[in-house]
Amino acid sequence: MRAHARITLDDTIVYTKVLNKSHLAVCDMSRNFHIYNMHTQYKEHSFTFKQAYVHKDKESIAFSPDGKYIAFSEKEQSVVRIIDIQKQKLHHSFPTGVNRVETLCFDPSSHYLVAGCITGRVFLWNLFSTGQVSRLSSFPEYTPNILAQPKTNYVSAACFSPSGRLVATTGYGGSIVVTNIHTEVSPKRITPSHIRINVLHFINEKVLCAGNLEGSIHLIDVDNAQIIKSLHTGVININGLCLSNSSRYLLVSGGGKRVSLIDLKEHKVIDPEYINLNSRISQLSLSDEDTLIVGCEDGSLNIFQLYPQERLQGLIDIASYKKAYQLIQQHPLLKESPLIQEMEDIWEKHLNEAVHKIETKYGDEAERTLKAFANIPSKQDIIQEFQSLTGYYERFKASVSSQNLALAYSMAEHIPLLKKTALYIEMEDTWNKAFLKAQGFIITGNTHLLFKTLEPYSKITTKLCFIQVLLHQPELFLEFVKLINTHEYDKIFTIAKKYPCLKEIESFQNIVITVNDLHHKCEQHIYASDFELAELELKELSHIPYMKKTHHGLSHLFSLAKRFENFYKEGKLHNVYALIDANPQLNNLNEVQHLEKEWTEKMKHAEQEALLGNTKEIKSILGNLIDLPSRSQKIGMLLRQSYLTQIKLLIIKHQTKAIKHAINNYISIFSYDTELHNLISKIKKDKIVDISLTSEQELRRPRSLWLSITKGLVPDTILEKP
């Protein structure tokens, strides 16, 4: 595939990001930052940050999705800078202490920034506040049995889900942690293997994709923390994953010169060399319009249009079908276009016209009708079959004329194009009328007329099952029809399993449609809290044998939703949140979505107050939810931050005696932790006050233990005894 456009920079491309759908952010190894208009390829902004730490294998720089900010880390200063692009000035600086940042990632709202450090720690910052919001996780994760820690211990990748609620991070050892940044409830921990993961990408809110050093792609069910599918791509050292706009295709790049294409629906690599470049690929990005941007080590930016729907429409408009199918072959993403159905409808129209001309003895014109589809690989088998249709049709016509229906139906099974003829359609219509009439004879008990009506079809293999049921099991057939009318599903499906031909009856097919619709409606009614309707639908589903597993799942969801409603109506919010946090499937309930939206707003407000040291305000925002067990990790982090801010204010005011007292109180609530350790190290380094802690005080304990210690009764200031 040829690139649609090409831009050349002076050095290896280390970062690319599509901003606001129409702009492209780029950075090279020489620390040159650029923003291009994707439609014109015109450079609109250019910066050079000599202190920026750039690395071709680690995303230590990031542009916010809204295109307003640049974040980059400084290797020597252990700090992350946020630059306002429009104002061209510093927006924020986040010091990281001894934790040099090597991975940066903005959330979709451009409100939060996740930072992964060389020490394995993951931090969350609020872009519009002055400090750290939370420490999300650490890598690698150890068990008490493991004493020796590896020298290399860094965060290798991070990404947010489309909603921005979830963030996935991965470390050197191959483990992945998925965290809800607003609740920090039971982070999901998955270890597909112990091979380093280089890149993460959410397919949707429930499925995460991970690409590792050895070229394997793991599709992960986030809710269940389980591997759905693992694929080996053949791309060694995967460094890029991009999801198509339809969410069906995944583009993968590694340390080589090619991009592979994976079909997520079929779970297979459909083209290992979908795109080939002249230089090794270092970056991969995709726009909402499926425009692929490939950055290379030679400094080139190669732009590919993977979804040229306008070109396809143009070819259809001028009836250039061969070129249209060739375009689809070259661009598999087009298979998701609605134009595909339009093309197939055009093909069917031409084929039906050609068959009609065979019937009316205009064979030469028939072949000309299909000429526009000549040499199209996907149509060749049918066209070759069509070329011999004239001879077969005459024999078929003679068989029907002589009432040799067995031969006629047999020919139609072997030559499917015969089924498109008016003669075959008429023959089937005659059978349907005969079958309907036979059913009437069963009801009236006219057995001799039943035999006479069905006798012409007695040697037709495809009709034999129907005839056997009507002739030898008439009572069973009548019962089957009655059961369909009364919707007695368990008995209907039992009979249909024994006599598969009955599944072809239109009334049965309508039952299948009804059952599937019943499943969908039941689920929707549960999520909308219409429990009376949902209960009736569950009762009907319970009688359908092949829906047992589905019924069990819906029954469980129904039970959870009812419990949620009862707790919610009674105002038992602790029970409500405990139920939500233990059962992610409740997230689709309207009331749950409303609650979570309110919670997110509370957290954003509380984060602001925490960074200002306003513990009292945090308590006011949370109210009686401050002692919520399932979310104690997040709440505890807010309180820690507020108290640490208060201690920093004491340092600024040189209240040395109060500092010692505050630190002792902090330890009594939260025990010793990394945040306090870093603060005490700075106090000692700056010789502000001498801090001496006992070995008992320096003992680290679980971060959620604060709730058991305080029962949620925390003081407004760190100088007050808890």
Side-chain angles (χ1 to χ4, degrees):
M1 185 187 299
R2 290 185 177 181
H4 169 70
R6 195 169 189 264
I7 301 170
T8 303
L9 277 71
D10 296 332
D11 208 339
T12 298
I13 308 295
V14 295
Y15 181 86
T16 59
K17 173 78 173 180
V18 177
L19 311 173
N20 284 334
K21 301 182 180 181
S22 60
H23 287 80
L24 175 66
V26 185
C27 178
D28 65 17
M29 280 293 289
S30 298
R31 301 177 177 86
N32 297 312
F33 293 73
H34 309 286
I35 296 179
Y36 292 89
N37 184 304
M38 286 191 62
H39 301 301
T40 64
Q41 284 81 58
Y42 176 73
K43 188 190 298 182
E44 296 187 357
H45 294 282
S46 190
F47 317 91
T48 300
F49 298 108
K50 292 299 182 183
Q51 301 304 315
Y53 169 56
V54 298
H55 196 294
K56 69 176 182 178
D57 296 324
K58 298 169 185 173
E59 296 206 334
S60 53
I61 57 175
F63 279 73
S64 62
D66 62 10
K68 294 180 179 179
Y69 303 98
I70 305 168
F72 61 83
S73 64
E74 291 188 10
K75 186 174 182 179
E76 304 303 327
Q77 297 296 320
S78 294
V79 67
V80 171
R81 310 284 187 196
I82 311 294
I83 306 297
D84 186 312
I85 295 173
Q86 292 298 325
K87 295 178 181 178
Q88 296 194 26
K89 69 175 187 179
L90 183 67
H91 176 71
H92 266 322
S93 288
F94 295 116
T96 60
V98 296
N99 302 294
R100 190 183 77 217
V101 169
E102 294 194 326
T103 302
L104 288 168
C105 178
F106 280 96
D107 80 310
S109 71
S110 302
H111 195 94
Y112 293 100
L113 180 67
V114 157
C117 303
I118 194 170
T119 55
R121 292 184 175 89
V122 179
F123 299 110
L124 178 70
W125 290 314
N126 186 318
L127 204 63
F128 304 101
S129 299
T130 56
Q132 174 189 323
V133 170
S134 186
R135 192 183 85 177
L136 297 177
S137 55
S138 295
F139 295 96
E141 297 167 54
Y142 300 102
T143 64
N145 299 326
I146 300 176
L147 299 176
Q149 297 187 3
K151 293 180 181 178
T152 307
N153 175 19
Y154 57 80
V155 179
S156 54
C159 74
F160 278 91
S161 67
S163 71
R165 291 187 305 108
L166 305 177
V167 63
T169 53
T170 183
Y172 176 81
S175 63
I176 301 168
V177 176
V178 181
T179 310
N180 184 319
I181 65 169
H182 301 304
T183 66
E184 297 190 31
V185 172
S186 304
K188 306 291 183 181
R189 303 177 187 274
I190 312 110
T191 305
S193 68
H194 293 287
I195 307 301
R196 189 183 78 225
I197 293 170
N198 291 333
V199 60
L200 297 167
H201 194 101
F202 275 93
I203 305 302
N204 51 49
E205 291 294 314
K206 296 183 178 294
V207 179
L208 175 67
C209 182
N212 72 15
L213 180 69
E214 293 187 346
S216 292
I217 292 288
H218 302 292
L219 297 174
I220 299 162
D221 182 321
V222 173
D223 286 344
N224 299 318
Q226 293 180 346
I227 306 296
I228 299 170
K229 187 77 175 179
S230 293
L231 298 168
H232 190 71
T233 64
V235 177
I236 302 302
N237 197 17
I238 293 173
N239 62 9
L241 293 176
C242 288
L243 183 67
S244 70
N245 193 42
S246 68
S247 296
R248 174 169 178 175
Y249 297 99
L250 190 70
L251 295 119
V252 184
S253 66
K257 301 178 182 180
R258 59 188 172 94
V259 177
S260 297
L261 185 65
I262 294 176
D263 187 329
L264 294 175
K265 186 177 181 180
E266 300 293 331
H267 286 161
K268 67 179 183 180
V269 180
I270 57 175
D271 194 339
E273 297 187 13
Y274 182 48
I275 293 174
N276 284 287
L277 282 301
N278 295 323
S279 177
R280 292 165 68 89
I281 298 168
S282 55
Q283 282 289 309
L284 208 63
S285 295
L286 193 71
S287 75
D288 288 350
E289 292 78 28
D290 289 321
T291 298
L292 182 70
I293 300 95
V294 184
C296 297
E297 290 186 0
D298 65 358
S300 64
L301 273 175
N302 303 275
I303 302 173
F304 298 87
Q305 289 186 337
L306 305 184
Y307 191 77
Q309 187 169 241
E310 290 182 4
R311 284 172 60 193
L312 181 60
Q313 183 67 70
L315 292 171
I316 294 172
D317 291 343
I318 62 173
S320 184
Y321 304 124
K322 180 180 178 181
K323 289 184 178 179
Y325 278 99
Q326 286 175 342
L327 188 68
I328 296 167
Q329 190 68 25
Q330 293 167 2
H331 299 81
L333 272 66
L334 281 173
K335 291 178 181 177
E336 296 294 289
S337 168
L339 293 177
I340 296 298
Q341 187 57 52
E342 184 179 333
M343 287 184 64
E344 289 305 306
D345 290 344
I346 292 170
W347 157 251
E348 282 296 318
K349 182 181 177 182
H350 279 72
L351 185 59
N352 289 332
E353 285 180 9
V355 169
H356 176 69
K357 286 174 181 176
I358 289 290
E359 292 182 274
T360 53
K361 298 185 178 180
Y362 289 97
D364 292 340
E365 286 188 24
E367 289 192 15
R368 282 197 293 272
T369 302
L370 295 180
K371 190 176 180 180
F373 297 88
N375 301 319
I376 296 173
S378 61
K379 308 302 179 190
Q380 288 311 292
D381 290 345
I382 298 177
I383 290 175
Q384 286 179 10
E385 181 186 325
F386 180 82
Q387 289 170 350
S388 57
L389 183 62
T390 302
Y392 283 119
Y393 178 73
E394 292 302 321
R395 288 177 57 197
F396 176 73
K397 185 178 179 181
S399 300
V400 176
S401 180
S402 61
Q403 287 296 299
N404 190 349
L405 298 181
L407 177 59
Y409 272 103
S410 178
M411 287 182 67
E413 287 301 311
H414 289 89
I415 314 296
L417 280 177
L418 289 171
K419 293 182 179 181
K420 291 183 172 293
T421 63
L423 193 58
Y424 179 85
I425 294 169
E426 183 182 341
M427 186 171 69
E428 271 291 89
D429 186 53
T430 303
W431 152 255
N432 289 331
K433 289 176 180 176
F435 185 63
L436 188 62
K437 188 183 291 185
Q439 294 175 47
F441 292 145
I442 290 175
I443 295 169
T444 58
N446 292 321
T447 309
H448 65 290
L449 292 176
L450 175 64
F451 277 91
K452 184 178 179 181
T453 302
L454 295 178
E455 195 277 331
Y457 301 94
S458 61
K459 296 181 180 180
I460 300 170
T461 305
T462 56
K463 310 300 181 189
L464 197 57
C465 175
F466 292 105
I467 293 170
Q468 286 178 341
V469 173
L470 289 177
L471 291 179
H472 304 298
Q473 301 279 349
E475 296 85 3
L476 179 70
F477 183 81
L478 288 176
E479 183 187 2
F480 184 71
V481 174
K482 181 182 177 182
L483 292 171
I484 285 177
N485 291 331
T486 56
H487 286 195
E488 295 184 52
Y489 297 116
D490 50 347
K491 295 179 181 178
I492 292 170
F493 286 101
T494 300
I495 295 172
K497 186 177 181 180
K498 190 174 182 180
Y499 299 96
C501 60
L502 295 178
K503 295 177 182 178
E504 297 178 27
I505 296 174
E506 184 180 357
S507 55
F508 177 83
Q509 292 176 354
N510 289 336
I511 283 290
V512 173
I513 293 171
T514 301
V515 167
N516 291 335
D517 189 48
L518 194 63
H519 168 211
H520 177 72
K521 283 182 177 178
C522 181
E523 192 173 56
Q524 292 303 309
H525 286 140
I526 292 173
Y527 287 137
S529 300
D530 293 332
F531 296 122
E532 289 186 10
L533 288 173
E535 194 166 18
L536 291 172
E537 288 152 353
L538 276 172
K539 188 175 180 180
E540 289 195 63
L541 286 169
S542 68
H543 299 298
I544 304 168
Y546 74 90
M547 295 292 280
K548 281 184 179 179
K549 187 175 180 180
T550 299
H551 176 263
H552 178 75
L554 286 174
S555 295
H556 182 57
L557 179 63
F558 178 83
S559 174
L560 291 172
K562 285 281 287 182
R563 285 178 63 197
F564 169 84
E565 185 187 54
N566 292 335
F567 287 145
Y568 189 70
K569 285 181 176 179
E570 293 168 7
K572 297 179 179 179
L573 289 183
H574 282 67
N575 299 82
V576 164
Y577 281 106
L579 196 65
I580 294 170
D581 295 336
N583 301 279
Q585 60 267 49
L586 288 173
N587 287 334
N588 287 329
L589 282 172
N590 294 337
E591 289 91 343
V592 171
Q593 291 176 354
H594 176 70
L595 270 177
E596 292 292 23
K597 187 176 179 181
E598 284 187 344
W599 177 267
T600 298
E601 291 306 311
K602 284 178 184 287
M603 291 302 99
K604 287 182 178 179
H605 187 189
E607 284 165 9
Q608 300 279 357
E609 299 299 338
L611 294 167
L612 294 172
N614 296 334
T615 310
K616 186 177 181 179
E617 288 300 320
I618 295 172
K619 291 166 63 178
S620 175
I621 291 165
L622 289 169
N624 61 2
L625 293 178
I626 195 168
D627 61 346
L628 191 60
S630 60
R631 304 194 177 187
S632 61
Q633 183 86 353
K634 178 68 177 181
I635 296 167
M637 194 63 236
L638 292 168
L639 294 171
R640 287 171 192 266
Q641 183 62 59
S642 69
Y643 290 140
L644 288 169
T645 301
Q646 290 180 24
I647 296 173
K648 290 174 185 177
L649 291 172
L650 294 174
I651 295 170
I652 293 171
K653 295 175 182 178
H654 298 286
Q655 297 181 10
T656 53
K657 290 184 179 179
I659 293 171
K660 288 183 178 181
H661 181 61
I663 289 174
N664 288 332
N665 283 351
Y666 184 95
I667 291 172
S668 69
I669 299 173
F670 298 112
S671 76
Y672 196 70
D673 57 30
T674 302
E675 292 81 8
L676 184 63
H677 172 80
N678 292 339
L679 185 58
I680 291 174
S681 297
K682 182 172 175 54
I683 290 171
K684 288 180 177 180
K685 182 181 177 182
D686 295 341
K687 298 180 180 180
I688 296 170
V689 64
D690 181 40
I691 303 292
S692 297
L693 300 178
T694 66
S695 57
E696 176 67 23
Q697 284 180 309
E698 289 184 346
L699 186 64
R700 299 190 181 224
R701 294 180 173 85
R703 293 176 76 87
S704 58
L705 192 62
W706 73 271
L707 185 57
S708 299
I709 294 170
T710 67
K711 309 300 182 185
L713 301 174
V714 293
D716 291 345
T717 74
I718 197 60
L719 292 175
E720 298 177 48
K721 201 70 176 165

